[in-house]
Amino acid sequence: MLKAAIIGCGGISNCHMHGYLEMKDRVEVVACCDIDEPKAKEYAERYGIRNYYNNCYDMLKAEKLDLVSVTTWNSAHAECSIAALNAGCNVICEKPMAMNAREAEAMKAAAEKNGKLLMIGFVRRHGNDAYSARRLVDKGELGEIYYAQAKYLRRCGFPGGWFGDKSRSGGGPLIDLGVHVIDLVRYIMGCPKPVSVYGATFDKLGPRPGIKSTIWVSETKVEKPIFNVEDLAVAMIRFDNGAVLNLEASFNLNLPDNEDGIRVYGSKAGLSVSAPFTLYTEYDGQLADIALKGENDFNFHRDFDREMLNFVDAVESKAKCIAPAEDGVELMRILDAVYESARTGRSVDIVR
Ligand SMILES: NC(=O)c1ccc[n+]([C@@H]2O[C@H](COP(=O)([O-])OP(=O)(O)OC[C@H]3O[C@@H](n4cnc5c(N)ncnc54)[C@H](O)[C@@H]3O)[C@@H](O)[C@H]2O)c1
């Protein structure tokens, strides 16, 4: 039986717990920790977890663990993951991997030094839409993919809590939302390496505190609301295979409605990855749209369970890890470059 622990007992950790509970015959969650000790205690009671702690160091010293979920706010991802890897644990760390590429590289190095798995919580890779898109690309149905569009635009959707505090989040919608769709496009394209970025960020609308938001909000309340991140990020990202990705991500933007979608454009066909999952191609001398009828969707809860299953399978060498650390590092290189380009107003080369 594998022994697991949670670091950071907030909202998304419940999805990791659910995944572990679905594998009761293989995994036992024996400990949890949170810097907010009453929260860790309540969490342990809720799930019947034997031991709880108010910091990861005491927990990693006292427990013999195989698996650790790092589900803290972003600024603690690197510290907690490296501590767990150095304690001999396999780690699944939530997205974004870290605050920047430098931290992400240190995490990857810690995994390699200790011979442990470090998986990144790119949950969108586990959706049926991602599976189907990858299958079509692998079969050559799209031809050469040379352009992609990824949008994660909210009209009014600041999550609140620490998400507006740059010292804990590292940034706004780019690092929180953009990360999902940039990664999914890279994954579908076969993980080309980013080479340059031109980006811009804005903070014209701020948190929009007076407007009722319809989105999920952070569990962590902050005494004094902070908002020192961007509310909109846009970028053109160029990859080493010549393909270009156009990205847009917002917490707040004056548009008609939320827009969350990915399209990839190939020399043989284009593909809307988001529902309805549709190929844009030609047939018998005419333009043709092929809307696949299967369950080609992303399903939050089902796909979190799949992600956790892939983590445990990969640790036991029963499957290949679908979201390895190296892809988290590449993603952080892209995000660093977008912020750098936004700051300087110039295109930024990604140099390795
Ligand atoms: N994959 C997804 O779709 C998805 C969705 C939401 C959030 N997330 C990610 O999950 C992470 C957590 O987000 P959340 O919404 O659950 O936040 P949250 O605020 O609900 O929970 C974070 C918890 O981490 C704790 N914490 C902070 N630093 C810590 C440390 N050093 N040691 C132990 N505990 C610490 C906080 O006290 C808090 O309880 C973030 O990185 C976020 O980007 C991913």
Side-chain angles (χ1 to χ4, degrees):
M1 184 73 91
L2 295 168
K3 303 264 185 272
I6 303 276
I7 304 181
C9 304
I12 213 66
S13 70
N14 294 293
C15 298
H16 287 234
M17 269 305 300
H18 192 272
Y20 288 134
L21 292 173
E22 289 289 296
M23 294 180 276
K24 270 200 185 102
D25 51 334
R26 300 170 71 189
V27 178
E28 185 191 3
V29 181
V30 295
C32 64
C33 78
D34 199 296
I35 49 171
D36 180 343
E37 189 171 328
K39 199 167 175 177
K41 180 171 187 282
E42 187 277 325
Y43 195 82
E45 284 166 4
R46 179 160 21 119
Y47 286 111
I49 298 170
R50 235 181 282 145
N51 298 319
Y52 67 89
Y53 300 82
N54 64 12
N55 71 87
C56 71
Y57 296 100
D58 287 351
M59 180 178 85
L60 293 166
K61 210 164 146 199
E63 306 282 340
K64 180 96 197 65
L65 301 166
D66 305 293
L67 314 171
V68 165
S69 284
V70 174
T71 50
T72 63
W73 47 59
N74 305 343
S75 59
H77 285 185
E79 183 188 349
C80 296
S81 297
I82 291 171
L85 290 161
N86 285 342
C89 309
N90 299 283
V91 171
I92 179 164
C93 175
E94 262 306 331
K95 53 53 66 177
M97 182 171 179
M99 298 286 270
N100 51 51
R102 189 179 37 78
E103 283 188 1
E105 281 161 12
M107 293 162 74
K108 180 169 169 279
E112 285 163 2
K113 184 184 81 183
N114 291 293
K116 294 293 162 188
L117 176 66
L118 172 58
M119 176 165 164
I120 309 305
F122 290 134
V123 70
R124 293 286 304 257
R125 291 189 177 204
H126 303 270
N128 283 354
D129 50 357
Y131 289 172
S132 299
R134 272 296 288 255
R135 228 174 15 252
L136 288 171
V137 171
D138 289 348
K139 282 168 64 189
E141 297 289 340
L142 273 67
E144 180 200 348
I145 298 172
Y146 54 92
Y147 182 53
Q149 293 170 303
K151 284 184 194 183
Y152 205 145
L153 293 172
R154 289 180 181 162
R155 179 170 175 170
C156 182
F158 169 51
W162 54 269
F163 284 85
D165 174 7
K166 195 168 181 185
S167 69
R168 283 184 283 177
S169 63
L174 176 67
I175 198 165
D176 183 41
L177 307 177
V179 72
H180 282 294
V181 287
I182 300 171
D183 178 69
L184 190 50
V185 167
R186 257 197 93 230
Y187 181 63
I188 290 168
M189 290 198 302
C191 296
K193 294 222 178 341
V195 291
S196 66
V197 169
Y198 183 77
T201 58
F202 302 86
D203 56 355
K204 303 288 182 192
L205 303 182
R208 278 191 145 172
I211 312 277
K212 200 168 185 306
S213 168
T214 52
I215 60 114
W216 161 92
V217 286
S218 171
E219 273 191 0
T220 303
K221 302 285 170 250
V222 290
E223 282 183 10
K224 202 163 152 261
I226 301 172
F227 194 94
N228 56 12
V229 297
E230 80 279 2
D231 55 31
L232 168 69
V234 296
M236 291 278 281
I237 301 155
R238 187 180 291 277
F239 295 95
D240 62 355
N241 62 355
V244 168
L245 163 63
N246 179 358
L247 166 84
E248 299 172 288
S250 70
F251 281 157
N252 287 313
L253 183 66
N254 287 322
L255 78 166
D257 211 343
N258 296 344
E259 287 179 30
D260 171 2
I262 287 176
R263 282 208 189 126
V264 291
Y265 301 93
S267 51
K268 282 171 71 179
L271 176 68
S272 269
V273 178
S274 331
F277 190 92
T278 308
L279 278 161
Y280 306 103
T281 183
E282 45 192 72
Y283 182 74
D284 195 25
Q286 297 188 58
L287 296 178
D289 297 351
I290 304 174
L292 300 190
K293 292 284 190 200
E295 284 183 29
N296 297 297
D297 59 345
F298 169 69
N299 177 310
F300 193 80
H301 293 290
R302 178 196 67 199
D303 298 337
F304 257 104
D305 285 352
R306 278 187 184 165
E307 176 180 85
M308 299 311 290
L309 178 64
N310 179 241
F311 174 51
V312 173
D313 278 351
V315 166
E316 294 195 315
S317 303
K318 292 181 177 154
K320 195 166 165 249
C321 170
I322 287 178
E326 66 205 53
D327 288 333
V329 173
E330 291 302 338
L331 217 293
M332 293 316 303
R333 288 183 176 140
I334 294 173
L335 301 190
D336 283 1
V338 177
Y339 284 128
E340 174 71 2
S341 176
R343 192 179 63 78
T344 59
R346 295 180 185 283
S347 171
V348 171
D349 290 337
I350 297 177
V351 186
R352 289 177 181 75

